[in-house]
Amino acid sequence: MASVVFFLRSNIKNKPSSIWIRFKDKDTDISLSMKELKCSVDEWKNGKCKNANKKMFDTDLESINTKLLKIEGYILQEYNNLNSILDLKVWMKSCVNNILNHKEKSVYSSNLIDTYLELRQNSITKRTNYKIKVLKSMLIDFCNFSKRPPVIQFKEMDNYFKDSFEKYCLNINYKHDTIYSKLKDAKAISKFAENYDIETHPHTKEWKLGVTKFIKDKPKHIYLSLEELERIKKCELIQEDLDIARDWLIVACFTGQRVSDFLRFEKSMIVEDKDMRYIEFRQEKTRKLMQIPILKEVQKILDKRGGEFPNKISDVRLNQDIKIVCKHAKITELVYGSKSQVLEDKTKRGVLGDYPKYKLVASHIGRRSFATNFHTLIPTADIMYVTGHTTEKQFLMYIGKTEKEMAVRTANSFAKIGF
């Protein structure tokens, strides 16, 4: 179980020293110095200040202990909401800074990023807000690592910056997709800066961030075939929590929605009219109003549970349990993919290799399985309506179809009609 503790490293009495934070969970054990918060050894006991009202400065509105309590609660809450593999030390640093509103001395255009988040706070999702803050922390660490000047302007974000940032991220074992995503975020913020007459570098506009750049060693998209889904439906599960996880996995695979959306499904979202029964909801990420049909497999789950969706479950627990479910269903073929592992420096990274398929299963596999399984069975536009993709190119990239595969499919389609 994840835990947070605070401690001092110094043994010198009557001299304030930095308070350290330690985060532990299973194989994860990371520590970080919080230089903004200090306490002397003689004033410290059991992970907090003896004087509950002690403040760092007279102008502070909160005591040191109150700040520590807020940091602990925030980190545990955010950790439970993590959906992707990140550098946990960077993540923890970002969480601490978020509570303390600390401005880094070595800032990589952070003022603009903070302004961007402030101006767009009502138009971006919580997840996007978090992603941008992680980008900020990554840029700060990159700046410190490369010994660049303390402040880098957007006008300096040229191709040399881009190449050195990619190299830095690869050296600390970030996945290609993660690097692509962060550069894409930086490019978007740079475009935002232009709208406010802030000088940017012309190279940034021309950054080519297509997935094809990272084809080498890129694993194929993992999905569950219709045959594998049959095995999952039929396998015997004794534990109730695993049965709940299985039902949510089936719902995901036959609704094509993100985990942030399908885990919110409830009976009140079901709409019936003379033409059809469908689920109506607003997507968490895009805020788009969705009306998706209830397919037979989803209806079976509803019938099984008296018209209700399965009991609520966290996405973290779902990710854990569906791996066990798929193992029971013997989804064990070796697949080349990326699996989260704790490295020697205590950071978490996705490590490429051959793994039993069930070990690579995560909540997002439902959406990808829906798109991949039905791509050859019904018109692409109909699938895109359900998944919410806006362009066919974007959709085909999502399911991992290459130009050659599409050419072969097109040739086969013409052959079937005699041409």
Side-chain angles (χ1 to χ4, degrees):
M1 182 176 178
S3 64
V4 171
V5 296
F6 302 99
F7 63 97
L8 301 181
R9 281 191 169 178
S10 173
N11 292 319
I12 303 175
K13 293 186 177 182
N14 300 317
K15 181 180 179 181
S17 61
S18 297
I19 299 174
W20 282 70
I21 180 173
R22 185 179 187 183
F23 176 83
K24 295 183 68 177
D25 182 37
K26 297 178 182 177
D27 297 329
T28 301
D29 187 350
I30 49 178
S31 299
L32 178 73
S33 171
M34 299 186 295
K35 298 178 182 179
E36 306 88 342
L37 298 177
K38 297 180 183 293
C39 189
S40 59
V41 175
D42 46 310
E43 294 181 321
W44 184 261
K45 185 177 181 181
N46 297 329
K48 60 184 179 181
C49 288
K50 292 180 183 178
N51 180 1
N53 297 319
K54 183 176 178 61
K55 300 179 180 180
M56 284 301 302
F57 304 101
D58 293 336
T59 56
D60 281 356
L61 299 177
E62 298 175 328
S63 68
I64 293 175
N65 286 347
T66 299
K67 290 181 179 179
L68 294 179
L69 190 62
K70 281 190 172 183
I71 290 170
E72 178 183 5
Y74 184 72
I75 284 177
L76 292 175
Q77 177 183 344
E78 291 299 305
Y79 183 69
N80 287 332
N81 293 332
L82 283 181
N83 290 325
S84 57
I85 301 167
L86 302 168
D87 184 326
L88 286 180
K89 195 156 191 174
V90 172
W91 164 78
M92 187 164 76
K93 187 176 180 182
S94 174
C95 289
V96 171
N97 288 340
N98 190 55
I99 294 297
L100 298 178
N101 294 317
H102 176 62
K103 297 185 182 298
E104 295 281 350
K105 292 182 179 179
S106 178
V107 181
Y108 214 117
S109 302
S110 67
N111 288 339
L112 181 61
I113 291 178
D114 291 340
T115 302
Y116 171 85
L117 290 173
E118 182 179 351
L119 291 174
R120 299 207 61 199
Q121 61 180 326
N122 295 323
S123 60
I124 60 175
T125 64
K126 179 181 177 181
R127 180 62 186 164
T128 299
N129 184 293
Y130 172 71
K131 282 171 58 183
I132 299 302
K133 287 181 179 178
V134 171
L135 168 65
K136 174 183 171 181
S137 294
M138 288 175 64
L139 291 173
I140 289 170
D141 288 346
F142 166 68
C143 180
N144 293 332
F145 173 82
S146 56
K147 298 181 180 179
R148 288 174 174 263
V151 177
I152 304 274
Q153 303 296 327
F154 267 86
K155 64 183 179 181
E156 298 174 5
M157 293 176 66
D158 55 13
N159 288 336
Y160 295 104
F161 154 79
K162 175 172 165 287
D163 292 343
S164 56
F165 181 72
E166 285 182 12
K167 184 177 180 180
Y168 162 75
C169 290
L170 287 171
N171 284 339
I172 58 173
N173 297 311
Y174 274 107
K175 294 192 295 183
H176 288 125
D177 285 351
T178 301
I179 302 170
Y180 159 73
S181 174
K182 296 309 171 190
L183 286 172
K184 187 178 178 182
D185 290 339
K187 183 177 180 179
I189 296 174
S190 179
K191 184 177 181 180
F192 169 84
E194 277 190 327
N195 295 332
Y196 285 81
D197 299 322
I198 297 172
E199 185 180 359
T200 60
H201 200 285
H203 285 180
T204 313
K205 286 183 182 179
E206 306 302 322
W207 285 355
K208 303 297 182 184
L209 299 174
V211 176
T212 51
K213 177 178 175 59
F214 303 125
I215 289 296
K216 183 180 179 182
D217 261 356
K218 182 178 176 62
K220 289 187 176 181
H221 295 293
I222 305 300
Y223 74 97
L224 295 169
S225 67
L226 293 174
E227 184 273 332
E228 288 171 327
L229 288 171
E230 280 297 318
R231 283 154 54 190
I232 289 171
K233 287 188 293 179
K234 292 177 180 178
C235 76
E236 185 176 348
L237 298 173
I238 299 175
Q239 295 174 250
E240 173 64 16
D241 53 351
L242 293 183
D243 190 42
I244 290 171
R246 169 171 57 188
D247 285 356
W248 276 123
L249 178 60
I250 298 301
V251 169
C253 290
F254 288 93
T255 60
Q257 301 307 304
R258 300 178 183 89
V259 65
S260 57
D261 293 320
F262 73 75
L263 283 183
R264 294 188 292 116
F265 285 172
E266 54 187 35
K267 186 177 182 179
S268 61
M269 295 179 177
I270 298 176
V271 179
E272 294 192 49
D273 60 30
K274 61 181 180 180
D275 297 318
M276 61 177 286
R277 295 180 77 239
Y278 56 88
I279 307 170
E280 183 175 85
F281 64 98
R282 194 171 293 278
Q283 285 186 334
E284 184 77 18
K285 180 177 180 179
T286 65
R287 306 312 300 162
K288 179 181 178 182
L289 182 64
M290 300 294 293
Q291 296 171 328
I292 60 172
I294 298 176
L295 302 185
K296 289 181 180 180
E297 295 300 334
V298 178
Q299 186 58 52
K300 289 178 183 178
I301 300 296
L302 294 171
D303 293 342
K304 170 184 174 182
R305 297 184 175 275
E308 302 280 355
F309 284 97
N311 293 341
K312 296 298 182 183
I313 183 175
S314 72
D315 54 348
V316 175
R317 182 62 182 271
L318 180 67
N319 278 328
Q320 295 171 349
D321 286 354
I322 58 178
K323 288 179 174 63
I324 301 173
V325 169
C326 289
K327 185 177 182 181
H328 278 292
K330 302 190 184 307
I331 313 296
T332 55
E333 66 170 303
L334 288 181
V335 176
Y336 182 66
S338 178
K339 184 177 180 298
S340 173
Q341 294 186 25
V342 179
L343 306 181
E344 291 182 0
D345 61 357
K346 303 300 182 182
T347 59
K348 240 181 182 180
R349 290 285 190 277
V351 179
L352 290 169
D354 292 316
Y355 303 99
K357 189 172 182 178
Y358 72 86
K359 289 189 175 183
L360 303 178
V361 171
S363 57
H364 194 77
I365 202 170
R367 178 171 161 83
R368 199 179 300 281
S369 297
F370 175 89
T372 308
N373 286 330
F374 290 107
H375 174 239
T376 57
L377 300 177
I378 65 176
T380 301
D382 293 343
I383 306 174
M384 289 171 56
Y385 169 77
V386 175
T387 61
H389 288 97
T390 54
T391 68
E392 186 170 2
K393 180 179 179 181
Q394 181 189 52
F395 173 77
L396 293 175
M397 286 174 58
Y398 177 74
I399 63 175
K401 293 296 181 182
T402 64
E403 296 293 337
K404 183 177 180 181
E405 286 175 317
M406 291 309 300
V408 171
R409 181 188 168 197
T410 303
N412 291 336
S413 297
F414 278 113
K416 286 180 181 179
I417 60 174
F419 289 90

